[in-house]
């Protein structure tokens, strides 16, 4: 018989960045999250709706990933999916906060963007 699984709940995804405060400010703008903890090397944001949060830790050697991936270059290892109701408005809001729209867009109903440090995230409509 297997041992019972201990209680576990995903609380946050952590992104490496050379500037945790600046990157957290971008995601506060994008998502409307609230600051739980903020210091020069670590920032935690919480979803006011109760979902998992985002955290940011200082990494001086952070290398921007490329999208789509190319041999010999830093590839994306994870990305964030953000469900939106209005794709055009959400893209405009993200870009106003400092995001860039990726040149390669693989699907309708989904827009691939990068945050100010190059982390890839997707805005998508329900059903995609």
């Amino acid at each position: 018989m297997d041992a019972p699984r201990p209680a576990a709940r995903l609380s946050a995804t952590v992104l490496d960045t050379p500037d945790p405060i600046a990157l957290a400010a971008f995601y506060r703008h994008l998502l409307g999250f609230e600051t739980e903890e903020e210091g020069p090397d670590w920032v935690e944001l919480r979803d006011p709706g109760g979902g998992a949060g985002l955290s940011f830790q200082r990494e001086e050697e952070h290398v921007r990933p490329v999208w789509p991936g190319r041999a010999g270059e830093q590839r994306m290892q994870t990305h964030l999916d953000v469900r939106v109701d209005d794709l055009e408005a959400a893209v405009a809001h993200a870009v106003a906060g400092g995001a860039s729209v990726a040149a390669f867009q693989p699907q309708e109903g989904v827009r691939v963007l990068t945050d100010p440090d190059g982390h890839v995230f997707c805005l998508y409509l329900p059903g995609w």
Side-chain angles (χ1 to χ4, degrees), residues 26 29-30 88-100 113-114 116 121 123:
F26 168 78
H29 169 84
L30 181 70
E88 287 184 33
V91 169
H93 179 74
V95 169
S100 298
L113 295 96
T114 58
F121 66 97
L123 302 176

Side-chain angles (χ1 to χ4, degrees), residues 11-35:
S11 62
T13 297
V14 180
L15 298 177
D16 290 349
T17 174
D19 188 345
I21 293 172
L23 193 57
F26 168 78
Y27 281 100
R28 269 193 307 272
H29 169 84
L30 181 70
L31 301 170
F33 281 16
E34 299 169 351
T35 302

Side-chain angles (χ1 to χ4, degrees), residues 31-117:
L31 301 170
F33 281 16
E34 299 169 351
T35 302
E36 176 130 331
E37 179 181 334
E38 182 174 290
D41 297 323
W42 179 262
V43 179
E44 290 180 34
L45 300 182
R46 291 288 161 233
D47 177 354
L54 281 173
S55 297
F56 309 89
Q57 69 180 6
R58 181 173 304 281
E59 175 51 69
E60 298 293 341
E61 302 300 320
H62 171 71
V63 176
R64 295 173 70 91
V66 296
W67 167 258
R70 294 186 296 267
E73 296 198 40
Q74 179 65 42
R75 295 183 188 195
M76 168 186 71
Q77 295 184 351
T78 189
H79 73 274
L80 303 174
D81 282 344
V82 180
R83 183 176 170 166
V84 299
D85 293 330
D86 182 331
L87 192 55
E88 287 184 33
V91 169
H93 179 74
V95 169
S100 298
V101 178
F104 178 65
Q105 297 293 324
Q107 302 169 284
E108 287 185 42
V110 177
R111 290 296 172 273
V112 180
L113 295 96
T114 58
D115 70 22
D117 286 341

